[in-house]
Amino acid sequence: MPEFNVTPYDVEGVVDYNKLTRQFGTEKITPELLNRIKKHCGDVHYMLKRGVFFSHRDMNWLLNEYEKGNKFFLYTGRGPSESVHIGHLVPWVFTKWLQDKFDVPLYFQLTDDEKFLFKEKLSLEQTSSHALENALDIIALGFKKKKTFIFRDTKASGTLYPQAIQFAKKITYSTIKGAFGLQDSANIGQIWYTSMQAVPAVLESIRKKHNVPCLIPLGIDQDPHFRVARDVYPKLGYHKPALIHNKFIPGLAGVQGKMSASSEESTIYLKDTPEEVANKIKRYAFSGGKASLAEHRKLGGDTSIDVSYQWLEMMFEPDDKKLLKIKQDYESGKMLTSELKEILINNINAFLKQHQKNREKAKKQLSSFLWEGEKLRKHIEGK
Ligand code: TYM
């Protein structure tokens, strides 16, 4: 058995991100690359500084193009199988930062087709309505109204399908089988799906009628789709999109795998109440603290396995000074697990209070962010 396994449909074991970059053939983010980003943005986002975004494909090329005056656009997505959880926020919070810094368009794909094809129990009506619910969470994060184009695959097929078949014709069954570990019993929609996820990376090029570089922020689990598709873009006359990959926020139960909606106890949803957040964290958040108070005071806690600390570092404590103080206090035994959990609960609840307010307001904004059917087709065809 391998120690860990990462595909878009399964993340198991304790992921060794160094090994994964070698396995996937991606590049690590270096201090030089961070400096290049800093030059253009004035600062670097805490997720970059802390290695939450750790790997990339072709970021140096993207910045070369940018420095020559070829601005890029952003593309990311969501597979709407259920409610959004805090793990999904990682690529999206970072994508918003990029949109703010570079003032660029963002295409946001909601793959109601994918989740229908891959989730035995979900109907198309369900995935399509989850997609609209999820869109409210996306809008609530504050993306720019006139520059953010959100669409569901099944409602944007007039635009996507003619492009998707171009990709499909150049990807073989054996390539997909190899990349995703699909069995012969897989339905044929699953084999086809990668060609749909490939398309949004060329939409702005079609719209502008010349090649526009594309940057895709995403969890590393989504890399296999683009590893396969990136061989095809040049064959169709497009640039390969650049990718920047994040690590996974672990589930509450421990640093194995990624947070996933399949385990209620392991997951905090953006719709959770303050009480639910507090209860789940108090009961389930895996602690790096010691078994007895005396031992903890003497030896201190282990932040490398403590889920509450990991969540603060990856997402919920952007202030470097505060984070360092928490680390020092916890590792020295001055801070107890219960106190650490209290900080996390307060930070998450403060975030969710604002988010849930924004989400209410987003209901009125939904139609201006949704670009589907004729509206998307006309936008892409420049009519
Ligand atoms: P989905 O809905 O599984 O996940 C949406 C995004 O969230 C990332 N992610 C996580 N990041 C950190 N910690 C976690 N625990 C965690 N769980 C999920 C995913 O890597 C992803 O970036 N097929 C895609 C939808 C899609 C897409 C795209 C994603 C369509 N086009 C382009 C990225 C880029 C999916 O099902 O994502």
Side-chain angles (χ1 to χ4, degrees), residues 6 42 68-69 91 109 113 140 149 168 186 192 221 223 257-258 309 370:
V6 175
K68 283 191 245 162
Q109 182 179 37
D113 55 345
F149 309 100
W192 143 266
D221 59 319
D223 183 77
K258 66 166 183 172
Y309 181 79
L370 268 192

Side-chain angles (χ1 to χ4, degrees), residues 119-324:
K119 297 270 174 185
E120 190 69 44
K121 295 208 175 94
L122 289 180
S123 69
L124 197 51
E125 289 70 27
Q126 284 169 317
T127 58
S128 217
S129 81
H130 286 318
L132 290 185
E133 287 295 320
N134 292 179
L136 298 177
D137 287 301
I138 293 160
I139 296 165
L141 294 176
F143 292 106
K144 294 186 180 211
K145 200 194 249 164
K146 296 213 170 82
K147 290 199 164 158
T148 303
F149 309 100
I150 303 178
F151 52 86
R152 288 168 289 181
D153 281 351
T154 58
K155 302 287 186 294
S157 51
T159 302
L160 304 180
Y161 185 75
Q163 306 306 326
I165 54 173
Q166 311 285 336
F167 285 89
K169 195 170 180 177
K170 302 222 177 303
I171 301 173
T172 65
Y173 173 40
S174 70
T175 301
I176 292 292
K177 241 172 117 176
F180 298 100
L182 290 179
Q183 305 297 315
D184 281 351
S185 58
N187 69 55
I188 59 174
Q190 296 177 339
I191 301 161
W192 143 266
Y193 169 71
T194 294
S195 46
M196 289 295 283
Q197 187 154 326
V199 173
V202 304
L203 288 180
E204 194 65 2
S205 298
I206 297 173
R207 191 174 87 80
K208 289 272 186 66
K209 300 190 174 57
H210 63 83
N211 268 332
V212 184
C214 173
L215 171 58
I216 311 177
L218 73 179
I220 186 82
D221 59 319
Q222 295 296 317
D223 183 77
H225 287 298
F226 295 104
R227 200 165 64 226
V228 168
R230 271 167 46 94
D231 287 342
V232 181
Y233 293 97
K235 295 181 188 161
L236 301 178
Y238 299 110
H239 295 314
K240 295 180 180 188
L243 311 181
I244 186 158
H245 306 103
N246 65 265
K247 294 178 183 169
F248 306 118
I249 287 227
L252 282 169
V255 291
Q256 296 232 342
K258 66 166 183 172
M259 175 180 284
S260 121
S262 50
S263 163
E264 282 268 326
E265 290 159 7
S266 255
T267 304
I268 301 242
Y269 297 95
L270 300 192
K271 61 175 191 207
D272 282 353
T273 62
E275 294 72 34
E276 282 170 329
V277 171
N279 285 340
K280 285 189 206 175
I281 292 175
K282 283 184 192 160
R283 286 181 69 172
Y284 302 117
F286 186 82
S287 164
K290 297 292 178 294
S292 73
L293 180 64
E295 211 188 333
H296 187 83
R297 290 284 187 221
K298 195 163 141 221
L299 300 171
D302 181 350
T303 50
S304 72
I305 54 165
D306 192 290
V307 168
S308 303
Y309 181 79
Q310 297 287 320
W311 284 18
L312 287 169
E313 183 179 42
M314 294 182 77
M315 175 80 206
F316 290 105
E317 186 44 84
D319 185 322
D320 288 335
K321 280 201 192 117
K322 283 190 190 163
L323 186 73
L324 181 63

